[in-house]
Amino acid sequence: MTTLVTRTAPRRPRNTGIGLGPGPTLAFVAPAAVLFAVLILYPMAAALSYSFFGWKGTLRDGFVGIGNYVTLFTQEPYATELWRGFGHNLLLFLGAFVFQNSLGLGIALLLHRRARTRRLFQTLYTLPYLVSPMVIGYLWSLMLSPLFGPVNAVLRGTGLESLALPWLGDPQLAIWVVVLVTAWQWLGFPILLYGAAIGGIPAELDEAASLDGATRTKRLRYITLPLLVPAMGIITVLTFIGSMESMAIPFALGGSNGSPAGATDVMMLLFYRTAFESGNANSIGVSSALATVLFLFILAISVGITRAMRRAERRLS
């Protein structure tokens, strides 16, 4: 008895439009590209063009070349306030960088060993990161008030009257308050990023080093930290960009003038004053020059940090 077996040709996969050329890809990318062009590229190009013209209010006066840049770097009050704000921005970056890459990494390492409470504490540390910086700044200004703030009240109640200081009234202290409040708010981001990077390290590497007699300190130094270089690079670049563009917290703590006595002044506050409070007829031209200088500096340093981190990754790989 002969059994007949019918063979059917394999069915061709349905055309889902994935991987069939640039058409479907462009259809998905186009909306984001249009928004990026309208909301990012056009304002940047407009600010660059505005910086080469003189202005009378909102009316373009004439082409002045680099005249607005010369005004920015040579005429008062711009020359003094520019370098003062720039120095405070760098101080914000250094403070946030040290704070986040030490305390943030340390907390991430501790939470990695506490599987039961990891999610809870990650959520608690991330909550300030999810709140508006303006709200954070105003809350801290209330808490640090020398009249009714709870911080000084607690210090006085515990017998530490000498530490009950005018935190936002002393020019020597005010900028450090801005640094600490900024670093405190953004601490949740490096904790999450470092936690994800630590979780991605194969456990076999740590176990093999432990079997070879490596102590926990040596395993951290020679295994964990080198594998965290990509995460460190991302955190460093984003911290630098955020610090150079910082405005909400300094504004909430010191106002648009960077009180007291300019101690909390930063570049974005200078831009705000130049564009909206200076009363200068050419405010558009000078503020656009300031925005262009700040953008070029952030771009150059960010590219430099990224390349340095990539070279470090290649040496470790």
Side-chain angles (χ1 to χ4, degrees):
M1 183 176 180
T2 303
T3 303
L4 298 178
V5 178
T6 305
R7 294 184 179 179
T8 59
R11 297 179 61 184
R12 299 180 61 183
R14 294 178 59 187
N15 188 347
T16 60
I18 300 176
L20 296 180
T25 303
L26 291 177
F28 286 107
V29 174
V34 171
L35 289 176
F36 181 78
V38 173
L39 300 178
I40 304 296
L41 293 182
Y42 174 73
M44 289 171 54
L48 177 62
S49 65
Y50 293 166
S51 67
F52 295 111
F53 289 87
W55 294 80
K56 291 183 177 179
T58 58
L59 299 177
R60 183 179 295 181
D61 189 23
F63 183 77
V64 296
I66 61 172
N68 290 322
Y69 295 90
V70 174
T71 299
L72 184 65
F73 284 97
T74 60
Q75 294 187 14
E76 297 295 339
Y78 306 117
T80 300
E81 294 178 352
L82 175 67
W83 295 111
R84 181 181 64 190
F86 179 73
H88 290 163
N89 279 112
L90 288 181
L91 188 60
L92 277 177
F93 166 64
L94 293 176
F97 175 79
V98 173
F99 194 82
Q100 293 177 354
N101 283 281
S102 58
L103 187 59
L105 177 58
I107 293 175
L109 290 170
L110 290 176
L111 293 180
H112 182 69
R113 303 189 186 104
R114 304 290 187 273
R116 292 184 177 180
T117 57
R118 182 188 311 162
R119 298 302 180 191
L120 172 62
F121 283 100
Q122 283 179 342
T123 303
L124 293 176
Y125 284 116
T126 308
L127 285 177
Y129 173 71
L130 302 177
V131 180
S132 169
M134 189 69 73
V135 175
I136 292 292
Y138 280 127
L139 288 176
W140 274 100
S141 67
L142 293 175
M143 290 191 293
L144 295 173
S145 172
L147 299 178
F148 52 82
V151 174
N152 282 350
V154 171
L155 292 174
R156 294 190 187 98
T158 55
L160 300 175
E161 291 87 354
S162 60
L163 298 180
L165 304 172
W167 303 101
L168 297 176
D170 187 347
Q172 302 297 326
L173 292 175
I175 185 59
W176 295 108
V177 172
V178 174
V179 171
L180 291 176
V181 171
T182 303
W184 171 81
Q185 183 190 10
W186 299 105
L187 181 63
F189 175 73
I191 290 176
L192 289 178
L193 194 58
Y194 278 133
I198 294 171
I201 297 176
E204 294 80 3
L205 296 177
D206 192 74
E207 293 174 359
S210 178
L211 293 174
D212 288 339
T215 62
R216 178 174 294 181
T217 302
K218 289 186 177 180
R219 297 200 302 270
L220 174 64
R221 178 180 177 182
Y222 295 106
I223 296 177
T224 304
L225 290 181
L227 293 176
L228 293 179
V229 170
M232 291 180 183
I234 295 173
I235 292 173
T236 301
V237 171
L238 294 181
T239 300
F240 175 75
I241 295 174
S243 299
M244 297 306 297
E245 294 180 344
S246 178
M247 177 181 175
I249 290 179
F251 181 87
L253 294 176
S256 62
N257 292 320
S259 299
T264 60
D265 198 14
V266 291
M267 295 280 283
M268 289 303 298
L269 288 180
L270 174 59
F271 171 81
Y272 177 81
R273 292 196 305 272
T274 303
F276 302 107
E277 295 184 351
S278 64
N280 184 2
N282 191 31
S283 60
I284 293 180
V286 179
S287 61
S288 297
L290 175 59
T292 302
V293 170
L294 182 59
F295 168 75
L296 293 177
F297 178 76
I298 293 174
L299 177 64
I301 299 301
S302 299
V303 171
I305 294 174
T306 302
R307 290 183 175 178
M309 288 298 177
R310 287 180 178 175
R311 286 196 296 267
E313 291 180 36
R314 286 194 293 268
R315 287 197 299 267
L316 294 172
S317 60

PDB file of all heavy atoms in Angstrom, residues 123-138:
ATOM      1  N   THR A 123      13.008  54.404  44.513  1.00  0.00           N
ATOM      2  CA  THR A 123      11.873  55.311  44.337  1.00  0.00           C
ATOM      3  C   THR A 123      12.006  56.543  45.214  1.00  0.00           C
ATOM      4  O   THR A 123      11.767  57.674  44.771  1.00  0.00           O
ATOM      5  CB  THR A 123      10.555  54.579  44.660  1.00  0.00           C
ATOM      6  OG1 THR A 123      10.437  53.424  43.817  1.00  0.00           O
ATOM      7  CG2 THR A 123       9.364  55.491  44.433  1.00  0.00           C
ATOM      8  N   LEU A 124      12.408  56.343  46.467  1.00  0.00           N
ATOM      9  CA  LEU A 124      12.548  57.476  47.381  1.00  0.00           C
ATOM     10  C   LEU A 124      13.630  58.443  46.916  1.00  0.00           C
ATOM     11  O   LEU A 124      13.444  59.669  46.977  1.00  0.00           O
ATOM     12  CB  LEU A 124      12.867  56.972  48.786  1.00  0.00           C
ATOM     13  CG  LEU A 124      11.757  56.177  49.489  1.00  0.00           C
ATOM     14  CD1 LEU A 124      12.242  55.665  50.836  1.00  0.00           C
ATOM     15  CD2 LEU A 124      10.503  57.032  49.661  1.00  0.00           C
ATOM     16  N   TYR A 125      14.759  57.905  46.463  1.00  0.00           N
ATOM     17  CA  TYR A 125      15.836  58.773  45.997  1.00  0.00           C
ATOM     18  C   TYR A 125      15.489  59.468  44.684  1.00  0.00           C
ATOM     19  O   TYR A 125      16.042  60.541  44.385  1.00  0.00           O
ATOM     20  CB  TYR A 125      17.129  57.967  45.818  1.00  0.00           C
ATOM     21  CG  TYR A 125      17.831  57.637  47.108  1.00  0.00           C
ATOM     22  CD1 TYR A 125      17.987  56.320  47.520  1.00  0.00           C
ATOM     23  CD2 TYR A 125      18.343  58.654  47.923  1.00  0.00           C
ATOM     24  CE1 TYR A 125      18.629  56.018  48.713  1.00  0.00           C
ATOM     25  CE2 TYR A 125      18.989  58.358  49.106  1.00  0.00           C
ATOM     26  CZ  TYR A 125      19.129  57.037  49.498  1.00  0.00           C
ATOM     27  OH  TYR A 125      19.766  56.744  50.683  1.00  0.00           O
ATOM     28  N   THR A 126      14.595  58.884  43.909  1.00  0.00           N
ATOM     29  CA  THR A 126      14.262  59.444  42.600  1.00  0.00           C
ATOM     30  C   THR A 126      13.166  60.498  42.690  1.00  0.00           C
ATOM     31  O   THR A 126      13.013  61.296  41.770  1.00  0.00           O
ATOM     32  CB  THR A 126      13.827  58.312  41.648  1.00  0.00           C
ATOM     33  OG1 THR A 126      14.819  57.285  41.662  1.00  0.00           O
ATOM     34  CG2 THR A 126      13.697  58.813  40.213  1.00  0.00           C
ATOM     35  N   LEU A 127      12.401  60.529  43.769  1.00  0.00           N
ATOM     36  CA  LEU A 127      11.278  61.462  43.876  1.00  0.00           C
ATOM     37  C   LEU A 127      11.687  62.933  43.657  1.00  0.00           C
ATOM     38  O   LEU A 127      11.009  63.652  42.911  1.00  0.00           O
ATOM     39  CB  LEU A 127      10.587  61.300  45.230  1.00  0.00           C
ATOM     40  CG  LEU A 127       9.706  60.047  45.381  1.00  0.00           C
ATOM     41  CD1 LEU A 127       9.137  59.979  46.796  1.00  0.00           C
ATOM     42  CD2 LEU A 127       8.581  60.052  44.353  1.00  0.00           C
ATOM     43  N   PRO A 128      12.767  63.442  44.281  1.00  0.00           N
ATOM     44  CA  PRO A 128      13.141  64.842  43.996  1.00  0.00           C
ATOM     45  C   PRO A 128      13.466  65.083  42.525  1.00  0.00           C
ATOM     46  O   PRO A 128      13.229  66.182  42.014  1.00  0.00           O
ATOM     47  CB  PRO A 128      14.377  65.064  44.881  1.00  0.00           C
ATOM     48  CG  PRO A 128      14.257  64.044  45.949  1.00  0.00           C
ATOM     49  CD  PRO A 128      13.624  62.842  45.304  1.00  0.00           C
ATOM     50  N   TYR A 129      14.006  64.073  41.851  1.00  0.00           N
ATOM     51  CA  TYR A 129      14.356  64.191  40.435  1.00  0.00           C
ATOM     52  C   TYR A 129      13.116  64.406  39.569  1.00  0.00           C
ATOM     53  O   TYR A 129      13.188  65.019  38.506  1.00  0.00           O
ATOM     54  CB  TYR A 129      15.114  62.932  40.010  1.00  0.00           C
ATOM     55  CG  TYR A 129      15.417  62.819  38.540  1.00  0.00           C
ATOM     56  CD1 TYR A 129      16.361  63.644  37.944  1.00  0.00           C
ATOM     57  CD2 TYR A 129      14.765  61.883  37.745  1.00  0.00           C
ATOM     58  CE1 TYR A 129      16.645  63.533  36.599  1.00  0.00           C
ATOM     59  CE2 TYR A 129      15.044  61.765  36.399  1.00  0.00           C
ATOM     60  CZ  TYR A 129      15.988  62.588  35.830  1.00  0.00           C
ATOM     61  OH  TYR A 129      16.264  62.489  34.491  1.00  0.00           O
ATOM     62  N   LEU A 130      11.959  63.917  40.044  1.00  0.00           N
ATOM     63  CA  LEU A 130      10.722  64.016  39.281  1.00  0.00           C
ATOM     64  C   LEU A 130       9.967  65.318  39.543  1.00  0.00           C
ATOM     65  O   LEU A 130       8.986  65.600  38.857  1.00  0.00           O
ATOM     66  CB  LEU A 130       9.808  62.826  39.609  1.00  0.00           C
ATOM     67  CG  LEU A 130      10.408  61.437  39.352  1.00  0.00           C
ATOM     68  CD1 LEU A 130       9.432  60.354  39.788  1.00  0.00           C
ATOM     69  CD2 LEU A 130      10.781  61.273  37.882  1.00  0.00           C
ATOM     70  N   VAL A 131      10.398  66.098  40.529  1.00  0.00           N
ATOM     71  CA  VAL A 131       9.727  67.353  40.874  1.00  0.00           C
ATOM     72  C   VAL A 131      10.391  68.495  40.113  1.00  0.00           C
ATOM     73  O   VAL A 131      11.595  68.476  39.837  1.00  0.00           O
ATOM     74  CB  VAL A 131       9.794  67.589  42.397  1.00  0.00           C
ATOM     75  CG1 VAL A 131       9.100  68.892  42.781  1.00  0.00           C
ATOM     76  CG2 VAL A 131       9.164  66.417  43.135  1.00  0.00           C
ATOM     77  N   SER A 132       9.614  69.515  39.780  1.00  0.00           N
ATOM     78  CA  SER A 132      10.140  70.675  39.065  1.00  0.00           C
ATOM     79  C   SER A 132      11.259  71.338  39.860  1.00  0.00           C
ATOM     80  O   SER A 132      11.129  71.545  41.073  1.00  0.00           O
ATOM     81  CB  SER A 132       9.017  71.680  38.812  1.00  0.00           C
ATOM     82  OG  SER A 132       9.540  72.912  38.342  1.00  0.00           O
ATOM     83  N   PRO A 133      12.365  71.696  39.210  1.00  0.00           N
ATOM     84  CA  PRO A 133      13.452  72.383  39.937  1.00  0.00           C
ATOM     85  C   PRO A 133      13.009  73.689  40.579  1.00  0.00           C
ATOM     86  O   PRO A 133      13.512  74.064  41.638  1.00  0.00           O
ATOM     87  CB  PRO A 133      14.501  72.625  38.843  1.00  0.00           C
ATOM     88  CG  PRO A 133      14.219  71.600  37.803  1.00  0.00           C
ATOM     89  CD  PRO A 133      12.741  71.391  37.820  1.00  0.00           C
ATOM     90  N   MET A 134      12.060  74.392  39.962  1.00  0.00           N
ATOM     91  CA  MET A 134      11.565  75.628  40.565  1.00  0.00           C
ATOM     92  C   MET A 134      10.879  75.345  41.900  1.00  0.00           C
ATOM     93  O   MET A 134      11.071  76.075  42.881  1.00  0.00           O
ATOM     94  CB  MET A 134      10.603  76.315  39.607  1.00  0.00           C
ATOM     95  CG  MET A 134      10.193  77.707  40.049  1.00  0.00           C
ATOM     96  SD  MET A 134      11.554  78.899  39.969  1.00  0.00           S
ATOM     97  CE  MET A 134      11.682  79.113  38.197  1.00  0.00           C
ATOM     98  N   VAL A 135      10.091  74.280  41.949  1.00  0.00           N
ATOM     99  CA  VAL A 135       9.426  73.905  43.194  1.00  0.00           C
ATOM    100  C   VAL A 135      10.456  73.508  44.243  1.00  0.00           C
ATOM    101  O   VAL A 135      10.354  73.900  45.416  1.00  0.00           O
ATOM    102  CB  VAL A 135       8.421  72.765  42.938  1.00  0.00           C
ATOM    103  CG1 VAL A 135       7.816  72.269  44.241  1.00  0.00           C
ATOM    104  CG2 VAL A 135       7.328  73.217  41.983  1.00  0.00           C
ATOM    105  N   ILE A 136      11.444  72.735  43.834  1.00  0.00           N
ATOM    106  CA  ILE A 136      12.507  72.332  44.758  1.00  0.00           C
ATOM    107  C   ILE A 136      13.207  73.566  45.327  1.00  0.00           C
ATOM    108  O   ILE A 136      13.466  73.665  46.538  1.00  0.00           O
ATOM    109  CB  ILE A 136      13.513  71.418  44.044  1.00  0.00           C
ATOM    110  CG1 ILE A 136      12.875  70.072  43.682  1.00  0.00           C
ATOM    111  CG2 ILE A 136      14.762  71.203  44.905  1.00  0.00           C
ATOM    112  CD1 ILE A 136      12.548  69.209  44.859  1.00  0.00           C
ATOM    113  N   GLY A 137      13.522  74.521  44.468  1.00  0.00           N
ATOM    114  CA  GLY A 137      14.214  75.715  44.918  1.00  0.00           C
ATOM    115  C   GLY A 137      13.402  76.522  45.909  1.00  0.00           C
ATOM    116  O   GLY A 137      13.922  76.975  46.945  1.00  0.00           O
ATOM    117  N   TYR A 138      12.115  76.710  45.647  1.00  0.00           N
ATOM    118  CA  TYR A 138      11.270  77.479  46.562  1.00  0.00           C
ATOM    119  C   TYR A 138      11.089  76.740  47.895  1.00  0.00           C
ATOM    120  O   TYR A 138      11.053  77.371  48.963  1.00  0.00           O
ATOM    121  CB  TYR A 138       9.916  77.765  45.923  1.00  0.00           C
ATOM    122  CG  TYR A 138       9.950  78.922  44.953  1.00  0.00           C
ATOM    123  CD1 TYR A 138       9.477  78.791  43.655  1.00  0.00           C
ATOM    124  CD2 TYR A 138      10.446  80.158  45.345  1.00  0.00           C
ATOM    125  CE1 TYR A 138       9.508  79.861  42.766  1.00  0.00           C
ATOM    126  CE2 TYR A 138      10.492  81.227  44.467  1.00  0.00           C
ATOM    127  CZ  TYR A 138      10.022  81.070  43.181  1.00  0.00           C
ATOM    128  OH  TYR A 138      10.061  82.126  42.299  1.00  0.00           O
TER     129      TYR A 138
END
